[in-house]
Amino acid sequence: MIAVAAPSALLNAGPGWGVRLVGIAVVVTFMASYALFRDWERFGPLLLRHPTLLAADTLFGALLLVSAGPDTTLAYVSVCTPLLAGLIYGWRGAAVFASLQGVILLLVHATLDNPNTEPAETLILPGLCVIAGAVGSSLRKLMLHLGEATRALAAVRARLAVTEAVDAERARLAREMHDSVAKTLHGVALAADGLACSAGAARMDPALVKRQAELVARSARRAAAESRELLTDLRREGEPGREVDVLAELADAVRAFRARCGAPVTYSRTDEGGGGGGLPSVPPAVARQLLSITEEAMENAHRHARAARVDVRAGVRCGVLTVGVRDDGTGLPGLPAAPNLDRLRRSGHFGLVGMAERAASVGARVSFGRGERGRGTEVRVEWPLASRRTEAGHDR
């Protein structure tokens, strides 16, 4: 509006200093408005601290208004000054600048050589200045209330996020303890009970007591080793940029399980590198969850299903890392292929719940089904290698 009104203001200005003053007003008001519009984050706080800057800009604009006349568009745009003052300074600033702008408009009308307007028409723009100031002050209050509500909502969301993170971490640690140390300690307790019974028998067998004592010692050492492994893995998950050869880790886990339990567990790779561009290296968090699911499936097959054979197969096909654990045991009647956590909890399958939660935590999919010829159980985990970039970004 300043640019549009500038030609009229310059033409109507008096010769000499009149033209110079109007020209200076055009340049100053235009550049000030442009600077505020372009870099408000920088100049806005300065304007907040120094209301005299807005007053000076208003006075420079008055020179344009006097020269251009009250019937130009610049006169109507000047109503925005009280609006801006109400937004920035509140109702006090709105009252001051509405009064100042109203006086300027009345003086502009008084400078006309032949005023042909009615008093009501003369008071229209000053009245609009008062209304604009009141609107600006009301908008300021509304925005302040909205800002307070937004901050309160952000604080509530932050607290909820912290609570959810704490709950998720508790659930994760519970799964880790359930799948490793808790089971071993349960075995220690059973072995200790057997040792106590043997030692308290009427005819104690020294060889049996010795074997049971050695079993308790081995189990206790195993629990200590699992605790160290758990702490090591939890620390390793926090190392950014580190990746793990998950297929080699799976092979080691199967060998360790076979040596510890004496179970007939075999491991084989299926379609190595098929469509995946080589053997996969995955983030530590993903590797740990896949290994834990595999170990839980082997443990279930050995302890609960009374399986004579357990096969672990892993490989990559079409960009998907697949790990399957198949046994020929008794199986689980009524086991759904797609796990429903609520149903699994109600039926007491907390180990399966832990598998599903572990898979979901890294973006994998776990499914349960029958083994070969409808006998036994198969646990199958699929993790798309495309998720590797996402996990790497989270680690960074």
mmCIF file with all atom_site columns, all heavy atoms in Angstrom, residues 159-170:
data_model
loop_
_atom_site.group_PDB
_atom_site.id
_atom_site.type_symbol
_atom_site.label_atom_id
_atom_site.label_alt_id
_atom_site.label_comp_id
_atom_site.label_asym_id
_atom_site.label_entity_id
_atom_site.label_seq_id
_atom_site.pdbx_PDB_ins_code
_atom_site.Cartn_x
_atom_site.Cartn_y
_atom_site.Cartn_z
_atom_site.occupancy
_atom_site.B_iso_or_equiv
_atom_site.pdbx_formal_charge
_atom_site.auth_seq_id
_atom_site.auth_comp_id
_atom_site.auth_asym_id
_atom_site.auth_atom_id
_atom_site.pdbx_PDB_model_num
ATOM 1  N N   . ARG A 1 159 ? 5.166  -36.105 29.426 1.00 0.00 ? 159 ARG A N   1
ATOM 2  C CA  . ARG A 1 159 ? 5.058  -37.019 30.570 1.00 0.00 ? 159 ARG A CA  1
ATOM 3  C C   . ARG A 1 159 ? 4.531  -38.386 30.141 1.00 0.00 ? 159 ARG A C   1
ATOM 4  O O   . ARG A 1 159 ? 5.004  -39.427 30.622 1.00 0.00 ? 159 ARG A O   1
ATOM 5  C CB  . ARG A 1 159 ? 4.139  -36.404 31.632 1.00 0.00 ? 159 ARG A CB  1
ATOM 6  C CG  . ARG A 1 159 ? 4.771  -35.240 32.387 1.00 0.00 ? 159 ARG A CG  1
ATOM 7  C CD  . ARG A 1 159 ? 3.991  -34.924 33.645 1.00 0.00 ? 159 ARG A CD  1
ATOM 8  N NE  . ARG A 1 159 ? 2.660  -34.429 33.348 1.00 0.00 ? 159 ARG A NE  1
ATOM 9  C CZ  . ARG A 1 159 ? 2.344  -33.158 33.195 1.00 0.00 ? 159 ARG A CZ  1
ATOM 10 N NH1 . ARG A 1 159 ? 3.296  -32.242 33.293 1.00 0.00 ? 159 ARG A NH1 1
ATOM 11 N NH2 . ARG A 1 159 ? 1.102  -32.778 32.941 1.00 0.00 ? 159 ARG A NH2 1
ATOM 12 N N   . LEU A 1 160 ? 3.553  -38.388 29.229 1.00 0.00 ? 160 LEU A N   1
ATOM 13 C CA  . LEU A 1 160 ? 3.040  -39.667 28.745 1.00 0.00 ? 160 LEU A CA  1
ATOM 14 C C   . LEU A 1 160 ? 4.110  -40.439 27.983 1.00 0.00 ? 160 LEU A C   1
ATOM 15 O O   . LEU A 1 160 ? 4.209  -41.669 28.106 1.00 0.00 ? 160 LEU A O   1
ATOM 16 C CB  . LEU A 1 160 ? 1.824  -39.427 27.844 1.00 0.00 ? 160 LEU A CB  1
ATOM 17 C CG  . LEU A 1 160 ? 0.540  -38.973 28.535 1.00 0.00 ? 160 LEU A CG  1
ATOM 18 C CD1 . LEU A 1 160 ? -0.545 -38.688 27.510 1.00 0.00 ? 160 LEU A CD1 1
ATOM 19 C CD2 . LEU A 1 160 ? 0.054  -40.023 29.514 1.00 0.00 ? 160 LEU A CD2 1
ATOM 20 N N   . ALA A 1 161 ? 4.907  -39.708 27.188 1.00 0.00 ? 161 ALA A N   1
ATOM 21 C CA  . ALA A 1 161 ? 5.976  -40.375 26.444 1.00 0.00 ? 161 ALA A CA  1
ATOM 22 C C   . ALA A 1 161 ? 6.996  -40.985 27.387 1.00 0.00 ? 161 ALA A C   1
ATOM 23 O O   . ALA A 1 161 ? 7.483  -42.102 27.161 1.00 0.00 ? 161 ALA A O   1
ATOM 24 C CB  . ALA A 1 161 ? 6.646  -39.384 25.486 1.00 0.00 ? 161 ALA A CB  1
ATOM 25 N N   . VAL A 1 162 ? 7.333  -40.241 28.454 1.00 0.00 ? 162 VAL A N   1
ATOM 26 C CA  . VAL A 1 162 ? 8.289  -40.783 29.427 1.00 0.00 ? 162 VAL A CA  1
ATOM 27 C C   . VAL A 1 162 ? 7.704  -42.016 30.111 1.00 0.00 ? 162 VAL A C   1
ATOM 28 O O   . VAL A 1 162 ? 8.398  -43.031 30.294 1.00 0.00 ? 162 VAL A O   1
ATOM 29 C CB  . VAL A 1 162 ? 8.641  -39.693 30.468 1.00 0.00 ? 162 VAL A CB  1
ATOM 30 C CG1 . VAL A 1 162 ? 9.436  -40.293 31.620 1.00 0.00 ? 162 VAL A CG1 1
ATOM 31 C CG2 . VAL A 1 162 ? 9.444  -38.579 29.812 1.00 0.00 ? 162 VAL A CG2 1
ATOM 32 N N   . THR A 1 163 ? 6.414  -41.939 30.476 1.00 0.00 ? 163 THR A N   1
ATOM 33 C CA  . THR A 1 163 ? 5.779  -43.090 31.120 1.00 0.00 ? 163 THR A CA  1
ATOM 34 C C   . THR A 1 163 ? 5.759  -44.300 30.194 1.00 0.00 ? 163 THR A C   1
ATOM 35 O O   . THR A 1 163 ? 6.048  -45.428 30.615 1.00 0.00 ? 163 THR A O   1
ATOM 36 C CB  . THR A 1 163 ? 4.338  -42.725 31.533 1.00 0.00 ? 163 THR A CB  1
ATOM 37 O OG1 . THR A 1 163 ? 4.378  -41.587 32.405 1.00 0.00 ? 163 THR A OG1 1
ATOM 38 C CG2 . THR A 1 163 ? 3.674  -43.880 32.245 1.00 0.00 ? 163 THR A CG2 1
ATOM 39 N N   . GLU A 1 164 ? 5.417  -44.066 28.925 1.00 0.00 ? 164 GLU A N   1
ATOM 40 C CA  . GLU A 1 164 ? 5.398  -45.175 27.972 1.00 0.00 ? 164 GLU A CA  1
ATOM 41 C C   . GLU A 1 164 ? 6.786  -45.751 27.775 1.00 0.00 ? 164 GLU A C   1
ATOM 42 O O   . GLU A 1 164 ? 6.950  -46.972 27.651 1.00 0.00 ? 164 GLU A O   1
ATOM 43 C CB  . GLU A 1 164 ? 4.821  -44.694 26.639 1.00 0.00 ? 164 GLU A CB  1
ATOM 44 C CG  . GLU A 1 164 ? 3.334  -44.375 26.699 1.00 0.00 ? 164 GLU A CG  1
ATOM 45 C CD  . GLU A 1 164 ? 2.819  -43.822 25.386 1.00 0.00 ? 164 GLU A CD  1
ATOM 46 O OE1 . GLU A 1 164 ? 3.641  -43.642 24.465 1.00 0.00 ? 164 GLU A OE1 1
ATOM 47 O OE2 . GLU A 1 164 ? 1.608  -43.566 25.276 1.00 0.00 ? 164 GLU A OE2 1
ATOM 48 N N   . ALA A 1 165 ? 7.801  -44.871 27.726 1.00 0.00 ? 165 ALA A N   1
ATOM 49 C CA  . ALA A 1 165 ? 9.169  -45.363 27.558 1.00 0.00 ? 165 ALA A CA  1
ATOM 50 C C   . ALA A 1 165 ? 9.606  -46.200 28.754 1.00 0.00 ? 165 ALA A C   1
ATOM 51 O O   . ALA A 1 165 ? 10.248 -47.244 28.598 1.00 0.00 ? 165 ALA A O   1
ATOM 52 C CB  . ALA A 1 165 ? 10.123 -44.184 27.355 1.00 0.00 ? 165 ALA A CB  1
ATOM 53 N N   . VAL A 1 166 ? 9.236  -45.733 29.955 1.00 0.00 ? 166 VAL A N   1
ATOM 54 C CA  . VAL A 1 166 ? 9.592  -46.502 31.161 1.00 0.00 ? 166 VAL A CA  1
ATOM 55 C C   . VAL A 1 166 ? 8.883  -47.854 31.163 1.00 0.00 ? 166 VAL A C   1
ATOM 56 O O   . VAL A 1 166 ? 9.490  -48.896 31.457 1.00 0.00 ? 166 VAL A O   1
ATOM 57 C CB  . VAL A 1 166 ? 9.231  -45.688 32.420 1.00 0.00 ? 166 VAL A CB  1
ATOM 58 C CG1 . VAL A 1 166 ? 9.380  -46.550 33.668 1.00 0.00 ? 166 VAL A CG1 1
ATOM 59 C CG2 . VAL A 1 166 ? 10.142 -44.467 32.539 1.00 0.00 ? 166 VAL A CG2 1
ATOM 60 N N   . ASP A 1 167 ? 7.589  -47.849 30.799 1.00 0.00 ? 167 ASP A N   1
ATOM 61 C CA  . ASP A 1 167 ? 6.846  -49.115 30.756 1.00 0.00 ? 167 ASP A CA  1
ATOM 62 C C   . ASP A 1 167 ? 7.421  -50.061 29.710 1.00 0.00 ? 167 ASP A C   1
ATOM 63 O O   . ASP A 1 167 ? 7.531  -51.271 29.945 1.00 0.00 ? 167 ASP A O   1
ATOM 64 C CB  . ASP A 1 167 ? 5.369  -48.844 30.458 1.00 0.00 ? 167 ASP A CB  1
ATOM 65 C CG  . ASP A 1 167 ? 4.665  -48.143 31.609 1.00 0.00 ? 167 ASP A CG  1
ATOM 66 O OD1 . ASP A 1 167 ? 5.195  -48.199 32.744 1.00 0.00 ? 167 ASP A OD1 1
ATOM 67 O OD2 . ASP A 1 167 ? 3.602  -47.537 31.379 1.00 0.00 ? 167 ASP A OD2 1
ATOM 68 N N   . ALA A 1 168 ? 7.780  -49.496 28.554 1.00 0.00 ? 168 ALA A N   1
ATOM 69 C CA  . ALA A 1 168 ? 8.365  -50.334 27.508 1.00 0.00 ? 168 ALA A CA  1
ATOM 70 C C   . ALA A 1 168 ? 9.696  -50.922 27.954 1.00 0.00 ? 168 ALA A C   1
ATOM 71 O O   . ALA A 1 168 ? 10.007 -52.087 27.678 1.00 0.00 ? 168 ALA A O   1
ATOM 72 C CB  . ALA A 1 168 ? 8.545  -49.514 26.224 1.00 0.00 ? 168 ALA A CB  1
ATOM 73 N N   . GLU A 1 169 ? 10.493 -50.115 28.648 1.00 0.00 ? 169 GLU A N   1
ATOM 74 C CA  . GLU A 1 169 ? 11.785 -50.621 29.128 1.00 0.00 ? 169 GLU A CA  1
ATOM 75 C C   . GLU A 1 169 ? 11.587 -51.692 30.200 1.00 0.00 ? 169 GLU A C   1
ATOM 76 O O   . GLU A 1 169 ? 12.319 -52.693 30.229 1.00 0.00 ? 169 GLU A O   1
ATOM 77 C CB  . GLU A 1 169 ? 12.613 -49.457 29.685 1.00 0.00 ? 169 GLU A CB  1
ATOM 78 C CG  . GLU A 1 169 ? 14.035 -49.821 30.074 1.00 0.00 ? 169 GLU A CG  1
ATOM 79 C CD  . GLU A 1 169 ? 14.881 -50.256 28.896 1.00 0.00 ? 169 GLU A CD  1
ATOM 80 O OE1 . GLU A 1 169 ? 14.477 -49.995 27.741 1.00 0.00 ? 169 GLU A OE1 1
ATOM 81 O OE2 . GLU A 1 169 ? 15.944 -50.863 29.125 1.00 0.00 ? 169 GLU A OE2 1
ATOM 82 N N   . ARG A 1 170 ? 10.595 -51.496 31.064 1.00 0.00 ? 170 ARG A N   1
ATOM 83 C CA  . ARG A 1 170 ? 10.307 -52.523 32.067 1.00 0.00 ? 170 ARG A CA  1
ATOM 84 C C   . ARG A 1 170 ? 9.886  -53.827 31.399 1.00 0.00 ? 170 ARG A C   1
ATOM 85 O O   . ARG A 1 170 ? 10.326 -54.915 31.796 1.00 0.00 ? 170 ARG A O   1
ATOM 86 C CB  . ARG A 1 170 ? 9.205  -52.035 33.004 1.00 0.00 ? 170 ARG A CB  1
ATOM 87 C CG  . ARG A 1 170 ? 9.657  -50.973 33.992 1.00 0.00 ? 170 ARG A CG  1
ATOM 88 C CD  . ARG A 1 170 ? 8.479  -50.478 34.801 1.00 0.00 ? 170 ARG A CD  1
ATOM 89 N NE  . ARG A 1 170 ? 8.890  -49.508 35.814 1.00 0.00 ? 170 ARG A NE  1
ATOM 90 C CZ  . ARG A 1 170 ? 8.054  -48.796 36.548 1.00 0.00 ? 170 ARG A CZ  1
ATOM 91 N NH1 . ARG A 1 170 ? 6.744  -48.948 36.377 1.00 0.00 ? 170 ARG A NH1 1
ATOM 92 N NH2 . ARG A 1 170 ? 8.500  -47.939 37.437 1.00 0.00 ? 170 ARG A NH2 1
#
